[in-house]
Amino acid sequence: MNNLTKFKIKKPANEVFEAFVDPSKIGNFWFTSSSEKWEQGKTITLIYEEYNAKGNIEVLEIDTNKKIVFQWGSEGNVVTIHLKELDHSATIIEVNEEGFNEQDDDLLNNMIGNKEGWVFVLSCLKGYLEFGINDLRTGLVKD
C-alpha cells in the first residue's frame, strides 16, 4: 500500500533537490538537522529537536535533481521523491511512500497521518524556497 503527495514548487529542480540533501538547508523546512549530505548508500541521522526525536534513514538511490529514494521507519517504509522540472522556474515534486501494512487495524489512521505529514513538509518547503520563510516546520502540533 502506498501514499502519494504532489506539489508544484516555483523553483528549479536543483534548488528543490539541494533543499533535501544539503544538511545546511533541510532545517529550513523539515528536520532540525541532517548528519551529512545525502548520498546513495549512506545512513543519515535526522534530528527533530522540537519533538526530542531522532531517526536514521538509508539512502537507497540518488539521481541528482531528479530522484531521491530512502528507507525509514519501524516498518521500513520506502519513500521515493521524484522531481520533474517544468521549466527553469518550476518543479513538480512527487512523494510516494510505500510499505504500509494492509492488515494493520490502524491502517487508515496511519495513512492519513502520513499524508498530513507530507503535505506539511511540502508546504514548509514551498514557503522556504519560494518566500524565504524558514520557521514554518515547528508549527505542527501532534498530541
Side-chain angles (χ1 to χ4, degrees):
M1 176 87 35
N2 70 319
N3 211 355
L4 179 66
T5 307
K6 289 184 177 185
F7 259 62
K8 181 179 180 180
I9 307 287
K10 294 179 182 175
K11 289 293 179 178
N14 69 306
E15 289 186 41
V16 179
F17 179 83
E18 286 299 319
F20 280 92
V21 303
D22 184 336
S24 70
K25 295 180 180 176
I26 198 166
N28 290 299
F29 74 97
W30 193 7
F31 288 91
T32 308
S33 64
S34 176
S35 61
E36 60 185 300
K37 186 170 179 92
W38 296 23
E39 295 176 354
Q40 188 167 320
K42 286 192 173 184
T43 298
I44 306 295
T45 300
L46 300 171
I47 297 172
Y48 231 142
E49 288 177 3
E50 295 81 8
Y51 306 108
N52 196 29
K54 176 169 68 167
N56 291 330
I57 63 166
E58 181 182 345
V59 181
L60 303 175
E61 183 179 346
I62 293 279
D63 186 358
T64 303
N65 302 332
K66 294 179 182 174
K67 184 177 181 182
I68 302 167
V69 182
F70 64 90
Q71 186 171 23
W72 71 346
S74 59
E75 296 183 24
N77 284 11
V78 174
V79 175
T80 302
I81 299 171
H82 283 280
L83 304 174
K84 181 181 178 187
E85 193 167 83
L86 301 176
D87 52 42
H88 292 295
S89 64
T91 301
I92 298 293
I93 181 169
E94 177 182 293
V95 178
N96 187 24
E97 185 158 348
E98 299 177 273
F100 295 94
N101 181 354
E102 293 181 39
Q103 306 306 315
D104 186 348
D105 292 337
D106 210 25
L107 176 64
L108 184 58
N109 286 332
N110 289 339
M111 291 193 76
I112 290 171
N114 178 266
K115 179 68 129 187
E116 176 186 68
W118 282 115
V119 167
F120 184 73
V121 166
L122 296 180
S123 296
C124 292
L125 175 64
K126 186 173 185 70
Y128 165 57
L129 290 177
E130 291 184 17
F131 305 103
I133 302 168
N134 64 357
D135 58 358
L136 294 174
R137 69 176 185 77
T138 62
L140 184 64
V141 177
K142 296 289 275 181
D143 290 330

